[in-house]
Amino acid sequence: MINKTFRFSTESLLPDISLILIEMGYSIPLADHYLSDLINDTLQQVRKHTRVQAGFIMLPKDSIKTQSNILFENRLLFEPGSIIMSQLQNVTSLAVFLATLGSDFDLWIKFVQQIDMLQAFVIDTIGSLMVEKAVDLLEEQISMQAMIRAEKCTNRFSPGYCQWLVDEQHQLFHLLPADFDWVKLQPSCLMTPLKSISGIIGLGKNVIKIPYHCAFCDNKSCYRRLKNRKGQ
Amino acid sequence: MERLLFDLSIAIERGKENETSPYPPDLKGKPGAYEFTSRLLEMNCPPDTILKQGMMPGMDRIGKKFADGIVFIPEILIAAKAMKAAMTLLKPYFDNGAVLRKGKVIIGTVAGDLHDIGKNIVCMVLEGAGWEVFDLGVDVTKEKFLASLNEHPESIICMSALLTTTMREMEKSVTTIKQAFPQTKIYLGGAPLTSDFADKIGADGYFPDPHSLSKHLTGNL
């Protein structure tokens, strides 16, 4: 079992202003947008409030079987539903990952919210982009490990999306490295720190990675679908 | 006076809080919602007129633009901030009954859920539309909703959830409230929700944005 933890630098995760504006809904971000100064000031402060931690566990080769659900050493591990299972064909191992910006980031948002809702929203948006970026970097690391094992990777999937019930976060958390025991799962399956993402990536010699798009899933209110539609 | 009321509505729509506020850049150094409201009060304009003919039209226009996808959350937030600045001057008139609120709204993010930006925007839009809002915050249990309803039984309830698991908590809260207060209207909001879901759990409606909720509440008066 491979167990890796990373401390990505805050700088490696910082989004540029245009990305932040797009995330906020603006389809054609202008260089001199009226929010640019506020965003720039906020970006300068991010490092003080961020403690990025990301890591994954890669289950042993051939320990996973996929049929209508995911079996680990012949015992039921996850039931992500037919949409995700259709993407996990030929998977023989799994990487289970988590990335978080840390608790200080949540406290920062909470504090600023009392004074300036607009800046709190800017911080929240930056945080969402940073934690996604952390998972992108984690995905690269998982791909490299898979290459060493002569395996390929699927897309990443998280409980709560593509009709995978969020309750399965509990099973997922049991598999996470001990370094992450400070990340808590609420009874509602909400993670704290709030700016955290957990999920799985399937691995296998004969895995075919299909580009991620919303045709997999018919959840009309999914934030990814709404975001894609806004970008059109 | 009419001109000033119109200027106030524009200041709120554009998010011009006061003379020193940096937003929007093209109105830098010009008077904002605070100054216009102050001048109107000095001219003995009735506070109710300031609310209904100055503040509410501004919030209404920006709310509609948001619902239509013309502006985004930042514009709503700065408009709400401008409205709040004007509202501080009207507060004494709300307290002494010179301005009557449209009614009471109890609002909260349901138990298990800590997301509150969307809920806070709804609070600000409803306050700007003349409602008295009791914000119970996040992670609100059904017991807390009930306790607040016992205190303000004539209120409307608004609930928010951003997680699929807390949608189940929402169902429990709606059922409990409807058992104790069958006449109380309960409205829902939050990204993963739909009108079908609201119908299914016995709520009185789902609204995808604060403007449509505000319009519905006012239309039902």
Side-chain angles (χ1 to χ4, degrees), chain A residues 25-26 34 113 166-167 188 221, chain B residues 72 75 112 116 120 165 168 191-192:
Chain A
Y26 301 99
Y34 75 98
Q113 211 164 336
V166 75
D167 306 57
S188 63
S221 57
Chain B
F72 303 100
E75 282 78 19
D116 63 354
N120 291 345
T165 37
R168 270 175 277 165

Side-chain angles (χ1 to χ4, degrees), chain B residues 32-185:
Chain B
Y34 186 89
E35 287 81 13
F36 289 127
T37 307
S38 186
R39 273 187 225 166
L40 283 160
L41 287 170
E42 279 163 20
M43 291 165 72
N44 292 320
C45 178
D48 197 55
T49 306
I50 299 175
L51 178 73
K52 287 180 180 151
Q53 293 178 34
M55 295 164 68
M56 278 162 54
M59 273 316 276
D60 191 56
R61 286 198 296 267
I62 193 72
K64 189 174 183 320
K65 282 182 180 172
F66 179 70
D68 292 344
I70 297 165
V71 299
F72 303 100
I73 290 176
E75 282 78 19
I76 283 281
L77 289 173
I78 58 171
K81 207 173 171 189
M83 186 274 302
K84 225 168 178 172
M87 206 63 121
T88 54
L89 294 171
L90 292 196
K91 194 174 180 299
Y93 302 97
F94 282 117
D95 294 346
N96 70 16
V99 186
L100 292 179
R101 305 266 196 187
K102 285 181 179 167
K104 294 179 179 180
V105 174
I106 295 168
I107 187 166
T109 303
V110 294
D113 205 325
L114 302 176
H115 294 91
D116 63 354
I117 288 181
K119 186 259 306 160
N120 291 345
I121 293 173
V122 173
C123 289
M124 292 189 277
V125 170
L126 291 183
E127 274 174 0
W131 294 84
E132 186 171 13
V133 178
F134 300 95
D135 181 7
L136 303 184
V138 295
D139 196 14
V140 180
T141 59
K142 49 186 187 298
E143 290 79 15
K144 212 168 166 186
F145 276 117
L146 275 182
S148 187
L149 251 182
N150 276 317
E151 220 176 306
H152 310 285
E154 69 280 31
S155 303
I156 290 160
I157 297 270
C158 293
M159 282 182 199
S160 154
L162 213 78
L163 300 170
T164 43
T165 37
T166 50
M167 285 164 67
R168 270 175 277 165
E169 193 56 44
M170 201 169 230
E171 183 171 3
K172 287 182 207 160
S173 296
V174 169
T175 308
T176 308
I177 293 168
K178 284 287 184 185
Q179 273 167 3
F181 294 88
Q183 304 305 320
T184 298
K185 296 282 183 201

Side-chain angles (χ1 to χ4, degrees), chain A:
Chain A
M1 185 134 56
I2 299 168
N3 179 346
K4 294 220 176 248
T5 305
F6 304 88
R7 287 205 182 270
F8 300 127
S9 70
T10 303
E11 284 69 23
S12 66
L13 307 181
L14 285 179
D16 63 33
I17 292 187
S18 61
L19 201 60
I20 296 167
L21 290 170
I22 290 170
E23 182 73 9
M24 287 176 169
Y26 301 99
S27 51
I28 313 162
L30 304 168
D32 60 347
H33 194 277
Y34 75 98
L35 287 175
S36 298
D37 287 348
L38 176 67
I39 294 173
N40 264 324
D41 286 351
T42 309
L43 284 170
Q44 300 295 321
Q45 299 172 52
V46 168
R47 195 190 307 164
K48 277 191 288 183
H49 304 279
T50 312
R51 183 186 154 210
V52 187
Q53 192 173 327
F56 63 85
I57 276 207
M58 207 176 252
L59 301 177
K61 267 184 157 186
D62 300 321
S63 62
I64 289 289
K65 283 189 188 133
T66 55
Q67 291 156 359
S68 58
N69 42 44
I70 301 174
L71 303 175
F72 174 49
E73 291 172 345
N74 293 321
R75 275 187 301 202
L76 181 64
L77 180 63
F78 295 123
E79 294 178 277
S82 57
I83 293 165
I84 292 177
M85 286 313 298
S86 69
Q87 305 300 308
L88 297 180
Q89 295 306 304
N90 305 319
V91 162
T92 54
S93 176
L94 275 188
V96 180
F97 65 82
L98 188 131
T100 179
L101 300 188
S103 320
D104 284 356
F105 204 91
D106 290 356
L107 293 175
W108 186 30
I109 296 178
K110 225 173 184 171
F111 174 74
V112 174
Q113 211 164 336
Q114 311 301 316
I115 309 158
D116 185 351
M117 278 287 295
L118 179 59
Q119 190 178 21
F121 178 63
V122 170
I123 299 170
D124 188 84
T125 306
I126 291 172
S128 298
L129 288 168
M130 285 177 69
V131 73
E132 283 280 353
K133 176 75 181 178
V135 179
D136 290 344
L137 297 179
L138 212 47
E139 203 173 337
E140 284 172 18
Q141 297 291 336
I142 292 168
S143 293
M144 278 161 59
Q145 289 295 327
M147 270 168 63
I148 295 167
R149 290 185 0 175
E151 290 179 329
K152 287 177 247 169
C153 296
T154 66
N155 287 296
R156 61 192 194 222
F157 299 99
S158 297
Y161 294 97
C162 297
Q163 296 188 356
W164 184 3
L165 290 179
V166 75
D167 306 57
E168 296 215 339
Q169 281 275 42
H170 292 289
Q171 287 96 295
L172 192 150
F173 261 60
H174 284 309
L175 295 167
L176 288 172
D179 319 45
F180 288 98
D181 59 0
W182 59 279
V183 178
K184 300 290 177 209
L185 198 55
Q186 306 302 307
S188 63
C189 296
L190 179 72
M191 284 182 280
T192 48
L194 286 174
K195 294 298 175 196
S196 304
I197 297 178
S198 61
I200 61 166
I201 290 176
L203 307 162
K205 279 195 176 120
N206 301 315
V207 160
I208 300 165
K209 185 172 184 174
I210 302 165
Y212 192 91
H213 57 86
C214 292
F216 293 164
C217 172
D218 63 357
N219 181 2
K220 302 285 182 290
S221 57
C222 172
Y223 88 102
R224 280 183 183 272
R225 179 186 295 269
L226 296 173
K227 212 157 73 174
N228 290 345
R229 198 183 297 154
K230 236 188 265 172
Q232 279 168 7

